[in-house]
Amino acid sequence: MAQHWQEILPIDRYKVASDGLLHEYDRKVLTLLYQPLIGSTCFSLYMTLWAEIEENRLWSESSTHHLLMNLLELNLKDIYEARLKLEGIGLLKTRVKTDEGGRSFIYELHPPLSPEQFFLDGMLNIYLYRKIGKTHFSRLKRFFSDQQKPSEGEYVEVTKAFQDVFSSGAPGSMQYIQGLSEELQEEENQQFIGRTEPSPIQIGVDLFDFDLLTAGLNESLVPKKALTPKVKNVISNLAFLYQIDAIEMKNFILGAINEHEEIDIEDLRKGARDWYQFVNYDQLPSLINRTQPIVHQTQLTEPKTPEEKLIRSYETTTPLIVFKELSGGVEPSNANLKTLEEIMIKYKLPPGVVNVLIEVAMRKTDMKFTKGFVESIASHWARKQVKTVKEAMELARNEEQKVTESKKTNRSTNKKPIRTELIPDWFDDSSKEAGKDPSQGNNSEVEAKKRSIEEKLKAFRK
C-alpha cells in the first residue's frame, strides 16, 4: 500500500469533470443525507470541486493540488483520505495520466442518489438511521417527500395528444433542408450537456460464497431461478451490511420465498435487519473503515522482521478477525462486539489501532475483554491522537515500562527506611577523618576523653 505522498503531490495538476449537470437539489441531498456519513471534510472537498466547474459546463480549468490545499486549508493527506471516501461512496471517479510533463488527474463528480433511491437503498439508509437516530431520520423523510398525487380514478384524463394539437406542413422550398444532415450529427469531440442516472452502492457478488449458499438450499423449496441477478446483488449487500455468512443467509432466504417461488426482496431485507437488531440489542450497523486506512499505514515495504510482519498484519486485518484469532477461533460475544463497535465509533480509532488495543487489553486481563478497561485505553489513545499501528505499539510499550518502573519503586520503598540527614558538603572530609583507625591518631587524647565522660556519668548518677 502506498502512502498519500506516493499517490499525489502538491504540484500535480487536476481538472474537474461532471458526469452530467449537478442541480441545487443535489446540494440539499449531499448536505442532509450524505454529510452525516462521509463527514464535513469530504463534503467540503466535493463542494469545492463542484464550484470549480463553470455554470452549465462539464469541465473546469486546470489547477494544482497546492491551490486545493489553500482553498480548503487542509494538508494533502486529509485531501487524499477525503478523496478515497468520496470514491468509495460513489460520488467521485478518479483518472490519472503520467507523462514527461508530470502527473495530472481528472476528478469526475457524480451526482448523489435521489432521495427515493437513498431511502430505499438498503445500505445507506440503514447507516444514516444508525448515525442520526429515529427522530431526525423521520424528519428528513418528511423533508424529502410530499403527498401523493390523486389516483387516476378520481379525475378524468383530458390531455390532448401531440397530433391533436400540431400538424406537419411541407416546406415551399428546398432551402430549408440544405445542410440538414450535417447539423443533425453530433460534432466531433463534443457532447450534449445532460445528466445520467446515479448508480446505487453495490458490493461485488464475488465476495459472497453463492456456491455454499446454493448447496445448502433445497431445490424443491428455493429453485435456482429464484436467485436472479437482482436478488444476488441484494444478498451481497446484506451480507456486507450485517456480516452474514452463507449458512445464516439460507435461513433468511427460506423466510422470504413467496407462493410464486420467488424471493421477496423486502422480506429478505426485513428478516436480515430484524435478526441483526435482535442479536445486537436493537442496534443497527454503523459505517466505519473496515481495515486501516491507506493514509495511516506505515509498513509499505515487504516485512522482514517479526515486528514488521505484525504491523502489516494489523494494518490489513479487520478487528473482528484479530479478536477471533486471539480467542483461539472462538466467536466474540454480543457484548464484545458492541464494545468493539463503540470504541471505533465513539473514540474514532482506526481499525489497525483497535487491533493493537484488543491484544493489549486481552493480554493484561487474562484474555478478558472488560468494557471499562478497554474504554480507558481507548479514551487515552484518542486524546493522544494515535492514528497508526506503530504509534499504538510504541505508546503501549511506554505505558508498560512506566508500570514496571513504578512497581520497582514501590518494592524499594516498602523496605525498612534508613534515616538520612541533610549535611553540608564540607562535612564529608571531617567524617572521613573521624572514620579513620584510632591508632593513627593521638590515643592518649582519646582515652582521656573517655575517662572524663565516665566520671561525669558517675557524678550524674549520684
Side-chain angles (χ1 to χ4, degrees):
M1 294 293 184
Q3 284 279 46
H4 71 278
W5 45 265
Q6 295 177 306
E7 296 289 331
I8 189 173
L9 293 173
I11 61 172
D12 292 339
R13 305 195 69 83
Y14 72 91
K15 285 185 178 181
V16 184
S18 177
D19 186 29
L21 286 178
L22 295 170
H23 306 307
E24 183 61 30
Y25 200 66
D26 295 326
R27 198 183 308 274
K28 296 180 181 180
V29 175
L30 290 164
T31 304
L32 299 177
L33 301 183
Y34 278 83
Q35 185 174 204
L37 299 180
I38 60 179
S40 59
T41 302
C42 293
F43 177 78
S44 298
L45 176 59
Y46 188 96
M47 289 300 173
T48 303
L49 295 177
W50 184 355
E52 291 194 45
I53 303 176
E54 294 182 5
E55 186 176 2
N56 295 331
R57 291 296 168 189
L58 303 181
W59 287 91
S60 73
E61 297 293 333
S62 177
S63 305
T64 65
H65 285 83
H66 186 266
L67 173 64
L68 196 60
M69 294 166 65
N70 290 333
L71 290 175
L72 294 168
E73 288 190 353
L74 293 172
N75 57 49
L76 202 59
K77 178 181 176 183
D78 292 335
I79 292 176
Y80 179 66
E81 186 173 2
R83 191 195 91 185
L84 295 182
K85 288 184 178 180
L86 290 176
E87 293 171 358
I89 208 164
L91 294 175
L92 182 69
K93 284 189 177 180
T94 304
R95 297 197 295 268
V96 62
K97 180 181 73 172
T98 304
D99 53 25
E100 295 180 356
R103 188 165 47 185
S104 59
F105 293 82
I106 293 178
Y107 294 141
E108 185 179 80
L109 297 179
H110 283 242
L113 299 177
S114 67
E116 181 181 7
Q117 288 177 305
F118 191 99
F119 283 106
L120 299 178
D121 178 70
M123 282 187 63
L124 297 182
N125 57 342
I126 297 295
Y127 289 133
L128 182 65
Y129 184 96
R130 175 68 170 82
K131 181 73 173 182
I132 65 178
K134 180 179 179 180
T135 302
H136 294 295
F137 187 83
S138 300
R139 183 180 66 84
L140 288 178
K141 284 189 68 177
R142 292 193 300 270
F143 179 84
F144 286 105
S145 60
D146 204 345
Q147 287 184 330
Q148 289 185 340
K149 64 181 181 180
S151 61
E152 295 182 359
E154 298 179 21
Y155 293 81
V156 179
E157 178 74 39
V158 295
T159 306
K160 299 297 183 181
F162 177 84
Q163 66 274 12
D164 295 332
V165 180
F166 301 100
S167 62
S168 182
S173 172
M174 294 295 293
Q175 62 180 351
Y176 296 104
I177 60 174
Q178 292 178 356
L180 178 61
S181 58
E182 290 82 2
E183 291 297 329
L184 291 179
Q185 298 296 325
E186 184 177 357
E187 294 186 17
E188 189 177 358
N189 298 325
Q190 296 289 319
Q191 69 178 95
F192 289 107
I193 297 175
R195 181 182 174 106
T196 58
E197 189 70 14
S199 301
I201 302 297
Q202 178 57 54
I203 306 300
V205 294
D206 55 335
L207 299 178
F208 185 81
D209 194 347
F210 280 98
D211 293 334
L212 180 59
L213 175 64
T214 54
L217 290 173
N218 192 327
E219 179 70 22
S220 60
L221 297 177
V222 183
K224 290 185 178 180
K225 65 178 183 180
L227 294 173
T228 62
K230 184 177 180 180
V231 171
K232 285 187 174 182
N233 288 339
V234 173
I235 290 175
S236 299
N237 284 1
L238 291 175
F240 174 85
L241 178 65
Y242 299 118
Q243 297 296 299
I244 303 173
D245 58 27
I247 298 175
E248 291 171 334
M249 186 64 72
K250 177 186 69 173
N251 300 325
F252 306 132
I253 292 176
L254 292 174
I257 197 77
N258 58 25
E259 64 275 11
H260 304 294
E261 294 186 339
E262 297 174 344
I263 297 175
D264 191 304
I265 291 177
E266 289 305 316
D267 288 345
L268 182 62
R269 286 174 173 169
K270 186 177 185 301
R273 182 173 64 249
D274 292 345
W275 167 81
Y276 186 90
Q277 288 184 288
F278 177 76
V279 299
N280 289 280
Y281 305 100
D282 205 32
Q283 297 294 316
L284 288 171
S286 301
L287 187 61
I288 54 179
N289 290 317
R290 190 175 180 90
T291 56
Q292 185 77 353
I294 298 177
V295 295
H296 296 316
Q297 293 186 12
T298 58
Q299 187 56 47
L300 307 177
T301 59
E302 188 66 26
K304 298 178 181 179
T305 66
E307 180 171 337
E308 290 178 349
K309 292 179 181 178
L310 181 61
I311 293 175
R312 182 68 171 271
S313 174
Y314 281 153
E315 290 179 342
T316 57
T317 310
T318 64
L320 182 60
I321 294 178
V322 171
F323 192 99
K324 288 172 64 175
E325 289 177 349
L326 289 173
S327 304
V330 179
E331 292 287 340
S333 65
N334 293 331
N336 294 151
L337 287 174
K338 188 176 180 181
T339 301
L340 275 175
E341 185 178 279
E342 285 182 355
I343 62 176
M344 294 184 72
I345 298 172
K346 182 178 179 181
Y347 299 103
K348 299 180 180 180
L349 295 178
V353 175
V354 173
N355 289 337
V356 180
L357 189 151
I358 291 172
E359 179 160 6
V360 171
M362 294 182 72
R363 300 292 188 195
K364 284 181 171 291
T365 57
D366 194 21
M367 303 308 291
K368 297 176 184 177
F369 200 67
T370 309
K371 181 179 179 180
F373 182 69
V374 171
E375 287 192 338
S376 66
I377 300 176
S379 62
H380 178 219
W381 289 9
R383 290 192 299 271
K384 298 284 286 185
Q385 298 182 352
V386 179
K387 296 297 183 183
T388 68
V389 172
K390 198 168 184 179
E391 290 173 351
M393 294 173 66
E394 288 294 330
L395 185 57
R397 285 197 194 100
N398 294 338
E399 290 299 316
E400 182 64 25
Q401 186 176 359
K402 289 179 182 178
V403 172
T404 303
E405 293 176 354
S406 177
K407 289 181 179 179
K408 290 180 179 179
T409 304
N410 291 336
R411 284 198 296 267
S412 62
T413 55
N414 289 334
K415 295 179 180 180
K416 186 176 180 179
I418 301 175
R419 183 180 177 184
T420 58
E421 297 179 356
L422 294 175
I423 56 176
D425 296 336
W426 50 264
F427 188 79
D428 289 337
D429 294 335
S430 60
S431 61
K432 291 177 183 177
E433 292 294 330
K436 290 181 180 179
D437 191 348
S439 60
Q440 296 178 3
N442 193 338
N443 293 337
S444 59
E445 292 181 1
V446 174
E447 291 298 328
K449 289 182 179 180
K450 285 183 178 180
R451 286 195 297 269
S452 174
I453 293 173
E454 289 176 357
E455 290 176 355
K456 290 180 180 179
L457 289 173
K458 289 179 181 179
F460 178 76
R461 293 190 187 100
K462 291 180 180 181

